[in-house]
Amino acid sequence: MGVTKEQVESSLKAKLNPSHLEVVDTSGGCGASFVVEIVSEQFEGKRLLERHRMVNAALEEEMKEIHALSIKKTVTPEQWKQQQEANQSNAAA
Amino acid sequence: MATSLSNMFFKGLANRSLTRPLNGLFYCTRYSTSVSNDSDTHDDFKPANKLEGSDISLANVIEQDVKDNPVMVYMKGVPDLPQCGFSSLAVRVLKHYDVPISARNILEDAELKNAVKAFSNWPTFPQIFIKGEFIGGSDIILNMHQTGELKEKLKDVTSKK
């Protein structure tokens, strides 16, 4: 009955036009629990709360079926780049 | 015989004067929903269950909650026994700070649950309010903890001691 990872991905892609998107189904297959990471230009200049609101709004339909949605990352392409670089230099060090 | 009777009488009085104010206190807490069948009291003085009734009054309850409590959490379970990993996470984060945490268990009241969702326009629980401002859910509170933003936000919230 639940929502599929593909449904979540397509809704997020359609509404937030992400440059990077990662959706993980953490429900063990029943489609009730997801973890998402999104990089989108649309987050520019928005507070974390507003970014999360945008994700919730994009998944409004799906949220009726989803029991738990963990939004791990909502960053701008700029922030994403910085984070990737920081991770790399950490790994190198 | 007479002394023991009067002793009992005074004992009774002493007990009454001790228990009365305490009872009063208990009945004043927001969680109280019932009152003992005391012939001294009248229905008019019974505590009203504020959580019953229309959405409008529920919205008022929430408004009052977030105004009166610097850190207000609507969660699944109670702070000492959360019944969901996300609610548990939010409480664990907040317990790092020496602040009083007020909470309501939305699992006990489906109407309240819906009212809170409508109030904040947020679909999931827990929901955290600090100084009347809606903060977000567990992902946000964890993020703010990690960035130091939460410390800043809570610095003027008086400690529980």
Side-chain angles (χ1 to χ4, degrees):
Chain A
M1 250 322 277
V3 178
T4 63
K5 176 177 178 286
E6 287 71 29
Q7 271 173 281
V8 174
E9 281 173 347
S10 82
S11 290
L12 290 173
K13 274 182 188 154
K15 288 172 183 130
L16 297 171
N17 189 30
S19 57
H20 170 85
L21 175 67
E22 197 175 331
V23 177
V24 183
D25 182 344
T26 49
S27 70
C30 78
S33 168
F34 293 91
V35 174
V36 301
E37 261 188 42
I38 310 168
V39 183
S40 169
E41 294 251 349
Q42 294 181 27
F43 293 141
E44 194 70 60
K46 299 236 167 43
R47 293 165 56 213
L48 189 59
L49 178 66
E50 286 164 288
R51 294 178 183 189
H52 279 227
R53 280 199 193 284
M54 288 163 72
V55 176
N56 288 335
L59 295 176
E60 200 186 347
E61 276 308 303
E62 289 82 357
M63 282 309 283
K64 291 172 189 162
E65 306 261 339
I66 296 176
H67 173 73
L69 178 71
S70 178
I71 307 172
K72 278 281 165 275
K73 260 194 189 123
T74 47
V75 295
T76 61
E78 186 73 10
Q79 288 173 317
W80 177 245
K81 213 176 127 213
Q82 283 169 5
Q83 285 178 8
Q84 295 297 95
E85 280 164 10
N87 282 345
Q88 267 167 21
S89 60
N90 278 346
Chain B
M1 185 67 191
T3 29
S4 72
L5 261 180
S6 71
N7 269 351
M8 275 169 77
F9 178 72
F10 282 116
K11 225 176 174 176
L13 256 188
N15 277 342
R16 274 179 88 86
S17 58
L18 263 179
T19 52
R20 267 300 160 91
L22 266 182
N23 274 342
L25 242 177
F26 286 140
Y27 291 146
C28 282
T29 60
R30 72 179 77 225
Y31 302 106
S32 124
T33 49
S34 62
V35 72
S36 64
N37 283 328
D38 193 330
S39 57
D40 286 351
T41 191
H42 184 271
D43 278 358
D44 285 354
F45 300 106
K46 273 190 181 172
N49 186 354
K50 284 195 281 183
L51 296 185
E52 262 169 24
S54 70
D55 277 353
I56 294 168
S57 72
L58 272 175
N60 289 342
V61 170
I62 298 162
E63 218 167 287
Q64 201 64 38
D65 273 353
V66 305
K67 205 167 90 184
D68 292 347
N69 304 289
V71 180
M72 183 71 210
V73 186
Y74 294 92
M75 60 182 288
K76 295 185 175 176
V78 293
D80 286 331
L81 193 62
Q83 291 182 42
C84 161
F86 299 100
S87 288
S88 171
L89 172 65
V91 170
R92 272 205 329 267
V93 168
L94 287 167
K95 280 188 173 172
H96 275 274
Y97 301 85
D98 189 25
V99 293
I101 302 168
S102 311
R104 279 193 198 271
N105 182 0
I106 52 95
L107 290 178
E108 282 183 348
D109 192 331
E111 273 183 55
L112 174 71
K113 178 180 170 183
N114 289 329
V116 174
K117 281 161 105 170
F119 184 84
S120 54
N121 185 26
W122 191 262
T124 52
F125 288 92
Q127 298 196 10
I128 300 125
F129 292 79
I130 297 177
K131 290 178 277 182
E133 181 196 350
F134 177 59
I135 298 300
S138 57
D139 291 319
I140 292 185
I141 203 82
L142 179 62
N143 184 286
M144 287 173 72
H145 172 63
Q146 288 162 343
T147 59
E149 218 180 311
L150 186 58
K151 192 178 179 190
E152 192 61 25
K153 189 136 256 170
L154 289 171
K155 73 175 181 206
D156 59 348
V157 174
T158 39
S159 87
K160 51 194 155 188
K161 275 151 219 153

